[in-house]
Amino acid sequence: MESHEHHKETFITKYIFSTDHKMIAKQFLITGMIMGIVGVGMSLLFRLQLAWPDHEWPILDALLGKWAEDGVMTPDIYLALVTIHGTIMVFFVLTAGLSGTFSNLLIPLQIGARDMASGFINMLSYWFFFASSVVMISSLFVENGPASAGWTIYPPLSALPQAIPGSGTGMTLWLVSMSLFIVSSLLGALNYIVTVLNLRTKGMSMTRLPLTIWAFFVTAILGVLSFPVLFSAALLLIFDRSFGTSFYLSDIMVAGELLTNQGGSPILYQHLFWFLGHPEVYIILLPALGISSEVISTNARKPIFGYRAMVGSILAIAFLSFIVWGHHMFVTGMNPFLGSVFTFTTLLIAIPSAVKAFNYITTLWKGNLQFTPAMMFSIGLVSTFITGGVTGLILGDSALDINVHDTYFVVAHFHIVMGLSAIFGLFAGVYHWFPKLFGRRMNKNLGYVHFWVTFICAYGVFFPMHFLGMAGLPRRYYTNTNFPMFDDLADINVVVSYFAIIGGIAQVIFIYNFFYSALRGKKSSQNPWRSNTLEWTTPVEHVHGNWPGEIPEVHRWPYDYSKPGADEDFIPQIVPMTDEEMATSH
């Protein structure tokens, strides 16, 4: 693989149909950012509706047209916005922003490979993702409006095109988009697995892999095992909608007409969906945890605490994530004994998660902390991971869950533990590896402003929601004015919406910082964070094949920071071990 005399690349082969993993990572990141702007924009629109349900907003009239005549939202479009917001954030921003961007960027660089196992499949993975994004966005413009059955798309609402306006063409486009997305994820994941197993450089044993690579590797395995199940769920739903089958339908009446469907069960769909849905939470979360392991160790100038325990916890989380899906279904009429089994496995998964949290805190303890923006977001992730995880104990217990199921308590829990932790991990990764992506540094002061406003607003939005949920406020209601018992809660919704709007606007700082720095930022040195991993041994200018000469050989694990007796407070992986180290390492 020593072919450095590449033919001249054209604009199209370099920037559009590129097979270079570094360029594909940028494509994923920028597409994910555009989808993120759409997803956050939608949440701000429905926050306006929730806080001031009867107020007329000219902006709604301008953006939503017939769905918000005189600037007041219809219930149909409210549900559609909630649905598409959830879909975009979970799949298009977090899955693609973390796995698509950072698995692509870091796997070849950190294991010492010239590129992914298959550059062509990697390129296909991005273009399937792009196509699925286009289809999802185009569903916003169909006559009856986009899909609206919540982001989980439960039948029978989603299985009967005549049920509500959002069950028509928009729903079909949603299913097509998700099918393309699953193809993209599978192609990417298979590529990541093969690359990690087969293309590691000399000396890079599995126990010398950075925790980022462990996280991406296990995430890819989760994707390969769970995404096909969602694909089958979507396929059966398409059959029910368009070909008259009854996988999910039975004895249903619509507008006074009894349908001929018999024998199906909407609960079957829930089982299939959540069998993907729970591993999906960790498909999003694990890369963020891996990124923060790397950032925290580098910026605490300390070896990561409990490397093997961290690897073990990643593997344990991956295994357990497949046997907890029933905790989403405690109120479906599930046998109480089965509920107690799922309660047990759910509480069990708290153990490896707690191991990770404990290990982060111990790595930070008495470290020589460098508060870069990436470090701030990583510490923010540890905070949200713990606070969000605590409420998971309540929702994981079937007896307690029944009281707050489908209320704002659930919304608060998963936005803090999964949404915010993943977003913070994503920001940490962007700030930390920006020099690797663009050869320039992001503005640090803007990074600090971005962090503090985002962090405060994030808690301001989701913390009060726990109290709304405990008071019994159901989620997905577009207004609560018909329920006098919720009148006292209206002020909380106003506070939440103010925080949401400020937090949304704060992301403009990040977008400006990102694009300005990419074009005009301060040029970066080769190893700006004085880090040990292999990606910082490649030249700042991107070269095809990553290293201009030989691929470096690895002699040590990636976390040799502040080693007693060493001249520097970091020893890169390519530095051979001394005789003393050899003697003490066995």
Side-chain angles (χ1 to χ4, degrees), residues 238-250:
I238 291 170
F239 283 163
D240 273 13
R241 289 172 56 79
S242 309
F243 302 110
T245 56
S246 301
F247 290 108
Y248 305 135
L249 297 171
S250 183

Side-chain angles (χ1 to χ4, degrees), residues 260-393:
T260 54
N261 301 87
Q262 278 185 329
S265 163
I267 303 290
L268 168 65
Y269 174 86
Q270 293 195 25
H271 278 294
L272 292 173
F273 181 89
W274 288 116
F275 189 82
L276 157 96
H278 211 83
E280 168 67 20
V281 170
Y282 293 101
I283 288 172
I284 288 170
L285 205 48
L286 282 177
L289 295 172
I291 285 169
S292 53
S293 301
E294 183 64 34
V295 172
I296 285 175
S297 179
T298 303
N299 288 297
R301 313 308 295 164
K302 266 180 71 179
I304 193 86
F305 183 86
Y307 174 84
R308 284 175 192 242
M310 290 292 250
V311 173
S313 68
I314 290 175
L315 296 170
I317 286 172
F319 170 70
L320 289 168
S321 72
F322 280 104
I323 49 173
V324 296
W325 80 90
H327 66 217
H328 296 268
M329 299 171 58
F330 285 144
V331 295
T332 54
M334 177 188 280
N335 179 321
F337 174 72
L338 190 60
S340 65
V341 173
F342 279 120
T343 297
F344 175 69
T345 56
T346 304
L347 297 180
L348 213 55
I349 206 169
I351 298 170
S353 306
V355 167
K356 294 195 86 62
F358 173 77
N359 286 17
Y360 291 137
I361 293 167
T362 324
T363 306
L364 290 166
W365 179 250
K366 294 195 170 173
N368 176 16
L369 305 183
Q370 323 279 314
F371 290 111
T372 63
M375 181 67 155
M376 303 296 279
F377 275 108
S378 295
I379 296 172
L381 176 148
V382 177
S383 157
T384 55
F385 189 54
I386 294 170
T387 44
V390 170
T391 51
L393 296 173

Side-chain angles (χ1 to χ4, degrees), residues 214-248:
W214 270 107
F216 299 145
F217 176 59
V218 172
T219 299
I221 295 171
L222 282 179
V224 168
L225 294 175
S226 62
F227 270 117
V229 181
L230 182 66
F231 192 67
S232 61
L235 210 56
L236 299 185
L237 193 50
I238 291 170
F239 283 163
D240 273 13
R241 289 172 56 79
S242 309
F243 302 110
T245 56
S246 301
F247 290 108
Y248 305 135

